[in-house]
Amino acid sequence: KPVVYESHEYWAAKHPDRPMTRWWTMFLERRGCRRADLLIVVNDTIADRMVADYGIERPLPVLNVPRVAALDILPTHDDRAPLELLYHGILVPGRGIEGLIRAVSQTIHPVRLVVRGSGSGRQVLEELVHELGIQDRCRFDDAVALDDLIAAAATSDVGVLPFESRLGYDVALPNKLFEYLAAGLAILSS
Protein backbone atom coordinates (compact mmCIF):
# COMPACT_ATOMS: atom_id res chain seq x y z
CA LYS A 1 0.00 0.00 0.00
CA PRO A 2 1.25 3.53 -0.74
CA VAL A 3 2.38 5.64 2.20
CA VAL A 4 1.34 9.31 2.31
CA TYR A 5 2.93 11.74 4.76
CA GLU A 6 1.06 14.99 5.38
CA SER A 7 2.89 17.57 7.45
CA HIS A 8 0.63 20.43 8.49
CA GLU A 9 3.46 22.19 10.31
CA TYR A 10 7.21 22.55 10.00
CA TRP A 11 8.00 20.18 12.85
CA ALA A 12 11.77 20.68 12.74
CA ALA A 13 11.32 24.24 14.00
CA LYS A 14 8.83 23.54 16.79
CA HIS A 15 11.41 23.36 19.59
CA PRO A 16 14.36 25.66 18.75
CA ASP A 17 15.27 25.85 22.43
CA ARG A 18 15.50 22.05 22.77
CA PRO A 19 18.30 20.83 20.43
CA MET A 20 17.88 17.11 21.18
CA THR A 21 14.14 17.24 20.53
CA ARG A 22 14.80 19.13 17.28
CA TRP A 23 17.46 16.60 16.25
CA TRP A 24 15.17 13.60 16.91
CA THR A 25 12.25 15.30 15.16
CA MET A 26 14.37 15.95 12.08
CA PHE A 27 15.85 12.44 12.16
CA LEU A 28 12.44 10.78 12.32
CA GLU A 29 10.81 13.10 9.81
CA ARG A 30 13.69 12.75 7.30
CA ARG A 31 13.47 8.97 7.61
CA GLY A 32 9.69 8.97 7.18
CA CYS A 33 9.82 11.36 4.23
CA ARG A 34 12.29 9.18 2.38
CA ARG A 35 10.03 6.14 2.81
CA ALA A 36 6.78 7.87 1.82
CA ASP A 37 5.33 7.59 -1.67
CA LEU A 38 3.74 11.04 -1.44
CA LEU A 39 4.60 14.04 0.73
CA ILE A 40 2.04 16.77 1.34
CA VAL A 41 2.66 20.09 3.12
CA VAL A 42 0.51 23.18 3.67
CA ASN A 43 2.54 25.76 1.77
CA ASP A 44 5.51 26.37 -0.54
CA THR A 45 7.74 27.69 2.23
CA ILE A 46 7.52 24.45 4.21
CA ALA A 47 8.05 22.42 1.02
CA ASP A 48 11.24 24.36 0.27
CA ARG A 49 12.50 24.05 3.86
CA MET A 50 11.97 20.27 3.85
CA VAL A 51 13.88 19.92 0.55
CA ALA A 52 16.78 21.92 2.01
CA ASP A 53 16.77 20.15 5.39
CA TYR A 54 16.14 16.59 4.28
CA GLY A 55 17.48 16.38 0.73
CA ILE A 56 14.17 14.96 -0.53
CA GLU A 57 12.02 15.46 -3.58
CA ARG A 58 9.84 18.54 -3.22
CA PRO A 59 6.60 17.81 -1.31
CA LEU A 60 3.25 18.74 -2.83
CA PRO A 61 1.85 21.94 -1.27
CA VAL A 62 -1.88 21.75 -0.55
CA LEU A 63 -3.26 24.77 1.29
CA ASN A 64 -4.62 23.92 4.70
CA VAL A 65 -7.70 26.10 4.45
CA PRO A 66 -10.74 25.22 6.55
CA ARG A 67 -14.10 24.95 4.90
CA VAL A 68 -15.98 27.88 6.31
CA ALA A 69 -18.70 30.05 4.91
CA ALA A 70 -18.52 33.80 5.36
CA LEU A 71 -21.42 35.35 7.21
CA ASP A 72 -24.17 36.88 5.08
CA ILE A 73 -24.29 40.01 7.21
CA LEU A 74 -20.98 41.18 8.58
CA PRO A 75 -20.93 42.84 12.00
CA THR A 76 -20.14 46.49 12.51
CA HIS A 77 -18.33 48.06 15.44
CA ASP A 78 -20.12 50.42 17.81
CA ASP A 79 -17.67 53.31 18.21
CA ARG A 80 -18.88 53.88 21.79
CA ALA A 81 -17.87 50.36 22.84
CA PRO A 82 -14.32 49.19 23.56
CA LEU A 83 -12.57 47.59 20.60
CA GLU A 84 -12.86 43.83 21.13
CA LEU A 85 -9.84 41.71 20.28
CA LEU A 86 -10.22 37.95 19.90
CA TYR A 87 -7.76 35.12 20.21
CA HIS A 88 -9.32 31.72 19.68
CA GLY A 89 -7.51 28.44 19.67
CA ILE A 90 -5.40 26.24 21.87
CA LEU A 91 -4.08 27.89 25.01
CA VAL A 92 -0.50 26.70 25.41
CA PRO A 93 2.84 28.43 25.99
CA GLY A 94 4.63 29.78 22.93
CA ARG A 95 1.55 31.11 21.16
CA GLY A 96 2.21 34.72 22.17
CA ILE A 97 -0.93 34.99 24.29
CA GLU A 98 1.03 36.14 27.35
CA GLY A 99 2.46 39.06 25.37
CA LEU A 100 -0.99 39.89 24.03
CA ILE A 101 -2.41 40.05 27.56
CA ARG A 102 0.48 42.26 28.69
CA ALA A 103 -0.09 44.56 25.70
CA VAL A 104 -3.79 44.90 26.56
CA SER A 105 -2.82 45.87 30.11
CA GLN A 106 -0.84 48.80 28.69
CA THR A 107 -3.38 50.19 26.25
CA ILE A 108 -4.65 53.71 26.71
CA HIS A 109 -7.71 53.35 24.49
CA PRO A 110 -10.60 51.16 25.61
CA VAL A 111 -9.79 47.63 24.49
CA ARG A 112 -11.26 44.34 25.61
CA LEU A 113 -9.64 40.95 24.95
CA VAL A 114 -11.54 37.70 24.58
CA VAL A 115 -9.42 34.57 24.89
CA ARG A 116 -11.49 31.64 23.65
CA GLY A 117 -10.29 28.08 23.87
CA SER A 118 -8.79 25.48 26.16
CA GLY A 119 -5.40 24.02 26.86
CA SER A 120 -2.75 23.40 29.46
CA GLY A 121 -1.80 27.08 29.64
CA ARG A 122 -5.20 28.53 30.47
CA GLN A 123 -4.71 28.70 34.24
CA VAL A 124 -1.37 30.51 33.87
CA LEU A 125 -3.00 33.02 31.50
CA GLU A 126 -5.90 33.60 33.90
CA GLU A 127 -3.41 34.16 36.74
CA LEU A 128 -1.53 36.70 34.59
CA VAL A 129 -4.77 38.63 33.97
CA HIS A 130 -5.40 38.75 37.74
CA GLU A 131 -1.78 39.72 38.46
CA LEU A 132 -2.07 42.63 35.99
CA GLY A 133 -5.48 43.62 37.38
CA ILE A 134 -7.25 43.62 34.02
CA GLN A 135 -10.13 41.22 34.73
CA ASP A 136 -12.51 43.93 33.52
CA ARG A 137 -10.70 44.05 30.13
CA CYS A 138 -9.95 40.38 29.52
CA ARG A 139 -12.30 37.43 29.66
CA PHE A 140 -11.87 33.74 29.00
CA ASP A 141 -14.51 31.81 27.08
CA ASP A 142 -14.65 28.09 26.53
CA ALA A 143 -14.04 26.77 23.04
CA VAL A 144 -17.09 26.65 20.80
CA ALA A 145 -18.17 23.94 18.39
CA LEU A 146 -16.62 24.18 14.93
CA ASP A 147 -20.04 24.83 13.38
CA ASP A 148 -20.46 27.88 15.66
CA LEU A 149 -16.90 29.19 15.38
CA ILE A 150 -17.42 31.85 12.70
CA ALA A 151 -20.59 33.28 14.22
CA ALA A 152 -18.93 33.40 17.66
CA ALA A 153 -15.85 35.12 16.22
CA ALA A 154 -18.02 37.69 14.42
CA THR A 155 -19.06 39.19 17.76
CA SER A 156 -15.53 40.63 18.08
CA ASP A 157 -13.85 43.37 16.04
CA VAL A 158 -10.28 42.16 15.54
CA GLY A 159 -8.85 38.65 15.26
CA VAL A 160 -5.36 38.36 16.75
CA LEU A 161 -2.54 36.04 15.65
CA PRO A 162 0.11 36.79 18.31
CA PHE A 163 2.52 33.95 17.56
CA GLU A 164 6.04 34.31 18.87
CA SER A 165 8.70 34.66 16.22
CA ARG A 166 10.22 31.27 15.50
CA LEU A 167 10.58 29.41 12.26
CA GLY A 168 7.76 26.97 12.96
CA TYR A 169 5.28 29.82 13.34
CA ASP A 170 6.90 32.12 10.77
CA VAL A 171 6.08 29.63 8.00
CA ALA A 172 2.68 28.58 9.40
CA LEU A 173 -0.64 29.18 7.72
CA PRO A 174 -3.03 28.97 10.69
CA ASN A 175 -6.68 28.07 10.23
CA LYS A 176 -7.67 30.88 12.57
CA LEU A 177 -6.56 33.44 9.94
CA PHE A 178 -9.21 32.16 7.54
CA GLU A 179 -11.78 31.83 10.31
CA TYR A 180 -11.24 35.46 11.32
CA LEU A 181 -11.53 36.57 7.69
CA ALA A 182 -14.76 34.60 7.22
CA ALA A 183 -16.13 36.31 10.34
CA GLY A 184 -15.36 39.73 8.84
CA LEU A 185 -12.74 40.64 11.44
CA ALA A 186 -9.78 42.92 10.96
CA ILE A 187 -6.53 41.01 11.49
CA LEU A 188 -3.75 41.91 13.93
CA SER A 189 -0.75 39.64 13.48
CA SER A 190 2.77 39.46 14.81
Side-chain angles (χ1 to χ4, degrees), residues 53 103 121 182:
D53 286 349

Side-chain angles (χ1 to χ4, degrees), residues 80-134:
R80 296 166 294 177
L83 188 67
E84 187 169 285
L85 309 177
L86 170 67
Y87 171 88
H88 73 217
I90 189 164
L91 307 180
V92 295
R95 294 280 175 139
I97 309 166
E98 300 91 345
L100 175 59
I101 290 170
R102 289 185 189 284
V104 167
S105 76
Q106 297 176 20
T107 57
I108 297 168
H109 299 288
V111 173
R112 181 175 43 235
L113 173 62
V114 176
V115 179
R116 181 176 296 132
S118 61
S120 62
R122 182 168 174 159
Q123 182 177 348
V124 171
L125 295 171
E126 289 174 336
E127 289 170 2
L128 177 59
V129 166
H130 286 282
E131 176 186 311
L132 296 171
I134 59 168

Side-chain angles (χ1 to χ4, degrees), residues 66-68 71 86 88-89 116-118 141-154 179:
R67 290 185 178 183
V68 294
L71 297 176
L86 170 67
H88 73 217
R116 181 176 296 132
S118 61
D141 291 348
D142 291 332
V144 297
L146 191 55
D147 290 342
D148 301 326
L149 193 64
I150 305 306
E179 294 157 354

